[in-house]
Amino acid sequence: MIGYVEKIIEEKKCFERSYSEALILAAKKIKKSEIRNEIHQKIISSLKVGELPEFLVKSSGKGDKLSLRSISSFRASLSMRSRKRQLSTILPEWILDDKVRSYAFVDKLGIDRPLIFNSHIKFSEIDKGEKIVIKPVSGAGSRGVYLVENSDNILDVRNSKLLGGWKSLEFSIRNDLKNGLVKNDDWIVEELIYNENSLEKPSRDIKFYCFYGKVALILEVRRYPSKGYCWWSASGELVNTGKYDDKVIQGDGVSKKEIDLAAAMSSEIPAPFVRLDFHKSSERLVFGEFTPRPGNYEKFDEKTDQLLGDYFLEAEGRLMDDLIGGKKFEYFNQFLNEIDINS
């Protein structure tokens, strides 16, 4: 299998290299000024960012202004951010990835969040409580998340399925750990947020794609009776992104006040991007968690990927301007002084 994969990789590289070299050669050979920009623009749009030759990039800075927008990419930006993390760079958005620790920062901002009843405990230590959420300390994509109205009425969020009782919950959690859906027997127990006091109407998830003080996209998620999704622009318009196109629902939307809240929160974090996830009941918008790298981000269509890529680059610029201008990020620094970032 390894040899087979290596052969395909080499063939792919050779194939792409041949086409890139041919396109770059064509760009060099174009002499007629009346068609040069049009051809150069098409070639730029077809090349990956690492394939662009210096002479084309240089041309984008001249009066004729070839656009480099096609190389903006949310996928590439998040992937590079992950590479920075591998290089032992301490990234603010990843410090906030810890669900329990992040609440200390949210408290400084005065944002509504669920009450935590227990954290970092084994499942066997959890009491059969009522109106609680049981979720892993480290997890994503609703894996291992259970809403407990009482010991006989429990919702498996990931599978949008009501469980018969606590025995069924024990069995499901054992399977989560056995199958690797949840890595560690390490759990949080917190307040349940839902609509109309009915487990069959759980709160919807509202996920704000925030780029240092600006909201670009909002994802509204229904978890029960079946999973459904709805995308909104920051101006309140329904949009398609290429993700979840087969599971679209009629969303409730969010208010300008809620969008402004998410934008203001993200402006207190010295990072170009972080997703802010909330629970929205009929009565309140409650903070859930920070997500530094959304799952399956590669599934956005090209238009959305470029749009979010531009938001990312613009956010980096605004952040750098603020840092050079002396912005202190007082809430975030107070939070850092109170935690052990290596834990």
Side-chain angles (χ1 to χ4, degrees):
M1 188 61 167
I2 293 175
Y4 178 70
V5 169
E6 288 176 341
K7 181 175 181 293
I8 294 175
I9 290 171
E10 187 54 40
E11 289 176 352
K12 177 178 180 290
K13 287 180 178 179
C14 182
F15 181 84
E16 292 179 344
R17 185 165 54 245
S18 297
Y19 274 93
S20 296
E21 289 173 354
L23 287 167
I24 292 170
L25 180 61
K28 289 179 178 179
K29 295 292 186 182
I30 297 297
K31 301 300 182 185
K32 292 184 178 181
S33 59
E34 62 270 22
I35 63 170
R36 184 189 300 119
N37 277 8
E38 181 181 356
I39 298 297
H40 281 186
Q41 190 64 70
K42 289 180 180 295
I43 290 173
I44 286 173
S45 299
S46 71
L47 295 174
K48 298 177 183 177
V49 61
E51 296 172 333
L52 283 175
E54 185 269 343
F55 75 89
L56 284 179
V57 176
K58 182 172 64 175
S59 296
S60 68
K62 293 182 178 180
D64 47 24
K65 294 286 184 181
L66 288 172
S67 173
L68 295 177
R69 189 176 181 213
S70 62
I71 67 173
S72 293
S73 171
F74 185 56
R75 302 172 199 138
S77 295
L78 284 188
S79 296
M80 292 301 292
R81 200 74 178 167
S82 296
R83 177 55 181 153
K84 288 180 181 179
R85 188 175 176 227
Q86 283 186 337
L87 296 171
S88 300
T89 302
I90 297 174
L91 302 179
E93 67 270 33
W94 282 98
I95 296 173
L96 292 169
D97 186 47
D98 183 286
K99 292 180 176 63
V100 177
R101 189 164 60 187
S102 68
Y103 283 175
F105 175 65
V106 169
D107 288 344
K108 293 187 179 300
L109 300 178
I111 305 300
D112 191 10
R113 65 162 176 84
L115 298 173
I116 294 182
F117 302 122
N118 279 296
S119 63
H120 293 292
I121 63 172
K122 295 181 181 298
F123 176 72
S124 60
E125 299 170 344
I126 297 175
D127 294 328
K128 296 180 182 179
E130 296 185 352
K131 297 183 179 181
I132 59 175
V133 177
I134 299 172
K135 62 184 182 182
V137 171
S138 178
S142 71
R143 290 187 285 271
V145 178
Y146 297 88
L147 311 185
V148 182
E149 186 171 28
N150 53 56
S151 59
D152 297 318
N153 198 12
I154 301 168
L155 176 64
D156 175 350
V157 175
R158 180 173 181 270
N159 295 304
S160 300
K161 180 176 70 173
L162 284 171
L163 303 179
W166 200 265
K167 287 290 185 183
S168 297
L169 173 62
E170 291 175 347
F171 178 79
S172 186
I173 283 183
R174 280 199 302 270
N175 279 339
D176 288 344
L177 291 166
K178 180 180 177 180
N179 297 328
L181 291 174
V182 176
K183 291 183 179 180
N184 302 305
D185 187 16
D186 189 20
W187 303 88
I188 303 170
V189 181
E190 66 181 30
E191 173 191 8
L192 173 62
I193 309 296
Y194 56 1
N195 282 321
E196 303 175 18
N197 292 322
S198 171
L199 195 60
E200 295 187 8
K201 294 183 179 179
S203 60
R204 290 196 174 185
D205 293 348
I206 307 293
K207 302 173 185 290
F208 296 90
Y209 282 68
C210 295
F211 295 83
Y212 185 57
K214 288 188 177 183
V215 174
L217 276 179
I218 303 110
L219 174 61
E220 181 178 347
V221 184
R222 182 189 68 193
R223 297 293 183 185
Y224 190 83
S226 60
K227 286 185 180 178
Y229 305 86
C230 181
W231 291 98
W232 302 91
S233 70
S235 59
E237 298 173 339
L238 290 168
V239 293
N240 295 319
T241 69
K243 286 188 70 174
Y244 312 125
D245 287 351
D246 58 336
K247 298 179 181 179
V248 176
I249 60 169
Q250 182 175 349
D252 296 329
V254 294
S255 68
K256 183 178 184 302
K257 182 179 178 181
E258 291 165 341
I259 294 172
D260 290 345
L261 172 66
M265 285 180 66
S266 73
S267 70
E268 298 294 339
I269 304 167
F273 168 78
V274 66
R275 198 181 72 191
L276 274 61
D277 300 350
F278 288 80
H279 309 295
K280 187 175 184 180
S281 71
S282 54
E283 300 176 348
R284 53 199 281 227
L285 184 70
V286 183
F287 175 80
E289 63 186 2
F290 295 102
T291 301
R293 187 178 59 212
N296 301 317
Y297 60 85
E298 76 283 356
K299 292 186 178 180
F300 284 120
D301 58 32
E302 290 298 323
K303 180 181 177 181
T304 305
D305 183 56
Q306 285 185 8
L307 173 68
L308 298 184
D310 276 344
Y311 266 96
F312 195 103
L313 295 173
E314 290 170 352
E316 284 184 323
R318 290 195 306 276
L319 176 58
M320 183 59 68
D321 287 344
D322 283 353
L323 288 170
I324 292 173
K327 184 172 179 178
K328 301 299 184 183
F329 292 96
E330 293 179 5
Y331 293 117
F332 192 81
N333 283 319
Q334 289 172 15
F335 160 71
L336 287 183
N337 290 333
E338 296 172 3
I339 66 169
D340 178 6
I341 60 175
N342 296 312
S343 64

